[in-house]
Amino acid sequence: MAHLTVRFSTFIESVLRVPPLFVLDEIFKSGFTFPFNLWDSNDELSLLANQTVDADTADFGKLFYVSILFPLTKFLISFICCLLTLLIGILNVRELIIVYFYLISVSMLYFSYQRNVAFVSYIVATEAQIRTHDGESDAFYSMGAALIRTVMMQCVIGFLYQYLNPTVLKHRGLSKTVLISFLSPAVLCFLPFPQWILENIPFYTILLPIAISKYIFWSNIPAMTQYIAQGWRFCRNFVMGFGLPALLETEWSKLHIPVVLRLFWIIRLLDHTTTYIMENNLSKNVTDPLAFNETVLLTSYSGDVIVALPAFMQMVKSLMITGCETFIAVLGMTSLISYICQQIGYFFQYILLIEDEDKNFGTVSGILFCILALQTGLTGLEPEKRFVRLCRNFCLLFTALLHIIHSVLNPLLMSLSASHNPALHRHARALIVSGFLIIYPMWLLIYLWRSDSISTWLLAVSAFSLEVIVKMIVSLVIYFLFLLDFYRETFWEELDDYVYYIRSFGNTVEFCFGIFLFFNGAWILFYESGSAIRAMMMCIHAYFNIWCEAKSGWSMFMKRRTAVKKIDKLPDAKASELDDLKDVCSICYQQMKTAKITTCRHYFHAVCLRKWLYLQDYCPICHSILYPQEETKNRQNQEAVVG
């Protein structure tokens, strides 16, 4: 019960933080150009801003205003609105509710004013109709009904306004005055005032609630300033004590950012779905909103038809296009995709019977999708190209998810084979997932190469798919080698060499794919869609996937070659010596058919001693130096170099 209560409170808090995201989404949708002509599209300011001024004919003042001052002013206003919205979004729940109450009360003033204006206009028009036409009884009846509706509505608005502003309720006289202000236009419009007075009655009566709202706002500015200052001091002290990443992680969890983004995108999707159905189906008088008769042709960048989609997919295509048209929408989609990938990871962990393993499927997938969206400029593409690019990003994301699944499966296969686990169902589950990681990428490659023309994106997907196939085959071969070693009666000394060569082959292929992807990305950067984010990701790829892997592989090769040279210098034990010894290898505890003799006269398997020499040059039993002469020689060489 307590767990459900916590989840419910988290959900409510997340819902309260969703509205600021819609404001940010509209700001990003407008490109940080605040629409000044929102209230009047015919005013002089809007007409001047929308004109194209010729530099040869226009004067300097107008040219400066239209080309510099006006866009800069719009950007600054949008930027300030963005900061205020972000500030509201990170407030505590208590302060957030207070802000919402204030905004709702202000919007209620606007709604009350509009309803009073409409009612006064209706009464004025009806009285004019009564003076010039017949049917007075019907007119009086409609006026009475409109009066009752308006009075009831204004009473509700007045009481809600007082409830949302406790300052008004504290003063009984002010409370009654505010209620009268909401109701007075419905009464004063029946008095014999001139028409210009009647038309301005709603404006004059709403001035008192507006003044009260402004007073409440200005009186709370010191408290808001103090709250912001306290938050700034807290963040500064936290960063000084624990660092900026710790602060970001704490606030990320405290504000429930992933849940908020997910709710925002789902609500946004439902809104766009309703709008699409209303515009494309109800206007055509279609009984079934999804019963389309048309088909949609999905085309590539080159104009080739990839597939003819069923008509229902037209709506899905439109929703996916609008679902990533702004940066905030991309973040919301990223959060949802991260959640879906995390559930896919849990599904594979359930199949593999892994409980303690957590590879953060959702986090890695979300970061990858967001990077792909940014480096491909997803929000700035045309609708058709955006949809194609989004589908391609999904394809790349899923191939990357296959690599994450392999990173979970590979240690499980090694554990099952090396520990000789007798649970056959665990082996069967692991082999089923292994087959999926081989068959699905093959099917994907065949489908993509048949349906699409060759491109840099297709080469990248092919490289990712082939890489996961090679890695999976390498893991399976090593898995079966360990199983084969289990059923052998004698010690298999060549097993380590086979495993090393197979893994080296897999690492070499993976390294070659990394170099290929680097050059493929360089081609995209210079000839297709260059961006700073893509260049940065290429640098990261070159360092971690090429340079670090090459350095690690070369280091392992040198260690192995050095160990082999050292082992070859040791004498081999004779069969008679092993028969007289009648002992096992102290490293692997297996019977010795062949062995190497150290300078301290201890016997070990050659392969076991070689693995030991990867780490240190001391005997596993007596800890004496295995190569004192070589150690002394190396020390003398180092002293000579220093000298």
Side-chain angles (χ1 to χ4, degrees):
M1 187 64 183
H3 179 65
L4 293 177
T5 304
V6 172
R7 290 177 64 90
F8 181 74
S9 61
T10 301
F11 175 76
I12 296 299
E13 182 178 349
S14 302
V15 170
L16 291 175
R17 300 189 188 279
V18 168
L21 292 181
F22 280 96
V23 179
L24 290 175
D25 184 60
E26 291 298 325
I27 294 175
F28 277 90
K29 188 183 297 183
S30 64
F32 278 82
T33 56
F34 186 85
F36 276 106
N37 56 344
L38 202 67
W39 49 84
D40 189 1
S41 60
N42 296 321
D43 60 85
E44 182 180 357
L45 183 65
S46 302
L47 293 176
L48 181 60
N50 293 326
Q51 290 177 357
T52 302
V53 181
D54 190 359
D56 297 331
T57 60
D59 57 1
F60 177 77
K62 184 180 293 186
L63 179 63
F64 174 78
Y65 173 77
V66 174
S67 59
I68 299 177
L69 183 60
F70 191 75
L72 181 61
T73 304
K74 293 198 295 184
F75 175 81
L76 290 177
I77 293 178
S78 300
F79 184 74
I80 293 173
C81 291
C82 185
L83 290 180
L84 291 176
T85 306
L86 287 175
L87 182 62
I88 292 174
I90 63 176
L91 293 175
N92 293 331
V93 177
R94 180 178 175 275
E95 286 77 12
L96 192 62
I97 293 175
I98 293 175
V99 172
Y100 282 157
F101 279 0
Y102 180 78
L103 294 177
I104 292 173
S105 64
V106 173
S107 63
M108 290 175 62
L109 294 181
Y110 177 78
F111 179 74
S112 173
Y113 171 74
Q114 291 293 333
R115 296 308 303 170
N116 280 331
V117 168
F119 177 73
V120 171
S121 300
Y122 171 75
I123 294 300
V124 171
T126 304
E127 288 180 348
Q129 181 182 4
I130 292 174
R131 288 193 296 267
T132 57
H133 298 85
D134 297 333
E136 296 183 359
S137 59
D138 295 336
F140 282 120
Y141 175 77
S142 61
M143 289 172 59
L147 176 63
I148 294 175
R149 290 195 302 269
T150 302
V151 170
M152 293 178 61
M153 184 180 301
Q154 296 298 330
C155 285
V156 173
I157 293 175
F159 285 119
L160 286 177
Y161 180 81
Q162 296 179 39
Y163 174 75
L164 296 176
N165 295 278
T167 305
V168 179
L169 290 176
K170 292 180 181 178
H171 303 83
R172 181 172 300 179
L174 183 61
S175 175
K176 294 180 180 179
T177 306
V178 169
L179 184 59
I180 293 174
S181 299
F182 286 106
L183 294 174
S184 56
V187 178
L188 295 178
C189 65
F190 290 98
L191 298 179
F193 291 120
Q195 184 174 354
W196 67 271
I197 295 180
L198 293 176
E199 292 177 352
N200 291 299
I201 284 177
F203 172 74
Y204 294 129
T205 55
I206 205 66
L207 289 178
L208 177 61
I210 290 177
I212 294 174
S213 298
K214 292 180 66 175
Y215 171 77
I216 294 174
F217 175 78
W218 288 106
S219 62
N220 286 320
I221 284 182
M224 290 188 293
T225 305
Q226 184 180 3
Y227 179 80
I228 295 174
Q230 290 177 355
W232 169 255
R233 287 193 295 268
F234 169 78
C235 294
R236 184 185 60 185
N237 296 333
F238 197 97
V239 170
M240 293 176 61
F242 303 97
L244 182 60
L247 175 65
L248 296 177
E249 183 179 359
T250 302
E251 294 300 320
W252 183 274
S253 303
K254 176 183 175 182
L255 300 176
H256 311 290
I257 300 296
V259 181
V260 174
L261 291 173
R262 218 157 31 236
L263 288 174
F264 158 74
W265 198 84
I266 293 174
I267 296 173
R268 190 177 188 273
L269 178 67
L270 294 176
D271 176 60
H272 287 183
T273 304
T274 305
T275 304
Y276 183 89
I277 293 176
M278 294 290 293
E279 292 179 353
N280 295 275
N281 297 285
L282 297 184
S283 59
K284 298 179 182 179
N285 296 323
V286 179
T287 304
D288 186 1
L290 304 180
F292 304 112
N293 295 321
E294 302 92 353
T295 58
V296 183
L297 298 180
L298 179 60
T299 58
S300 63
Y301 285 165
S302 60
D304 301 330
V305 176
I306 298 177
V307 63
L309 301 176
F312 170 72
M313 294 301 294
Q314 184 176 7
M315 182 178 70
V316 177
K317 176 183 176 182
S318 176
L319 294 177
M320 296 306 294
I321 290 173
T322 57
C324 57
E325 61 183 348
T326 64
F327 177 70
I328 303 299
V330 168
L331 292 180
M333 182 180 287
T334 300
S335 179
L336 183 63
I337 291 173
S338 174
Y339 177 78
I340 294 174
C341 292
Q342 187 67 42
Q343 300 306 314
I344 293 175
Y346 289 150
F347 172 74
F348 278 99
Q349 289 183 2
Y350 171 77
I351 292 178
L352 298 174
L353 299 178
I354 299 176
E355 297 180 357
D356 300 331
E357 192 76 18
D358 186 9
K359 288 294 182 178
N360 293 323
F361 290 84
T363 303
V364 176
S365 302
I367 294 174
L368 178 60
F369 178 80
C370 189
I371 292 175
L372 288 173
L374 292 178
Q375 75 176 9
T376 55
L378 192 63
T379 58
L381 296 175
E382 298 177 359
E384 290 295 330
K385 292 184 178 181
R386 187 189 305 160
F387 180 72
V388 175
R389 175 55 62 186
L390 184 63
C391 295
R392 292 181 173 183
N393 288 352
F394 281 147
C395 189
L396 286 171
L397 176 65
F398 195 77
T399 53
L401 188 62
L402 296 179
H403 285 265
I404 303 176
I405 296 173
H406 173 265
S407 67
V408 175
L409 178 61
N410 182 57
L412 177 63
L413 286 173
M414 299 302 103
S415 174
L416 291 175
S417 58
S419 62
H420 315 304
N421 194 314
L424 295 179
H425 68 283
R426 298 205 65 181
H427 289 265
R429 288 169 179 262
L431 292 176
I432 290 174
V433 177
S434 302
F436 169 76
L437 293 182
I438 295 176
I439 295 174
Y440 178 78
M442 288 183 176
W443 173 84
L444 182 63
L445 286 175
I446 295 173
Y447 173 77
L448 291 177
W449 280 91
R450 285 182 177 178
S451 59
D452 201 358
S453 58
I454 187 171
S455 61
T456 53
W457 167 82
L458 184 59
L459 293 176
V461 174
S462 301
F464 276 120
S465 301
L466 290 174
E467 185 179 351
V468 73
I469 292 173
V470 172
K471 290 167 66 175
M472 196 65 253
I473 292 176
V474 168
S475 299
L476 286 176
V477 172
I478 296 175
Y479 165 79
F480 285 114
L481 285 178
F482 279 122
L483 287 182
L484 183 61
D485 176 64
F486 172 70
Y487 289 104
R488 287 175 59 93
E489 296 181 356
T490 59
F491 181 73
W492 193 4
E493 292 192 15
E494 295 82 3
L495 176 63
D496 181 70
D497 294 329
Y498 293 153
V499 172
Y500 174 77
Y501 294 140
I502 293 171
R503 285 180 175 170
S504 299
F505 169 76
N507 293 333
T508 303
V509 172
E510 186 177 354
F511 179 74
C512 293
F513 278 128
I515 296 177
F516 172 78
L517 289 173
F518 177 79
F519 285 107
N520 186 68
W523 180 275
I524 298 175
L525 178 65
F526 291 111
Y527 297 102
E528 294 185 6
S529 60
S531 62
I533 298 178
R534 184 181 293 276
M536 182 180 63
M537 294 307 301
M538 285 185 58
C539 294
I540 294 175
H541 170 74
Y543 178 75
F544 288 101
N545 296 336
I546 296 179
W547 170 251
C548 291
E549 291 295 329
K551 187 177 178 181
S552 176
W554 181 256
S555 176
M556 183 62 66
F557 171 74
M558 294 302 296
K559 287 182 179 180
R560 183 179 180 84
R561 191 179 70 169
T562 304
V564 170
K565 288 182 179 180
K566 292 178 179 179
I567 292 298
D568 291 340
K569 294 179 181 179
L570 295 177
D572 294 324
K574 298 179 181 179
S576 58
E577 293 177 338
L578 295 177
D579 292 338
D580 295 339
L581 184 64
K582 294 182 180 180
D583 199 0
V584 295
C585 175
S586 300
I587 297 176
C588 66
Y589 299 104
Q590 297 290 330
Q591 185 179 3
M592 291 185 292
K593 298 294 183 181
T594 60
K596 288 287 186 178
I597 306 175
T598 64
T599 55
C600 52
R601 303 298 299 174
H602 292 124
Y603 294 76
F604 303 96
H605 285 131
V607 62
C608 297
L609 190 59
R610 186 172 60 197
K611 293 179 182 179
W612 180 267
L613 291 176
Y614 288 168
L615 304 176
Q616 53 187 338
D617 288 336
Y618 296 93
C619 175
I621 296 178
C622 64
H623 298 288
S624 61
I625 299 176
L626 296 177
Y627 304 96
Q629 297 179 356
E630 183 177 355
E631 186 72 19
T632 304
K633 184 178 180 180
N634 292 336
R635 187 177 304 158
Q636 292 175 355
N637 293 334
Q638 292 178 1
E639 292 177 354
V641 172
V642 173

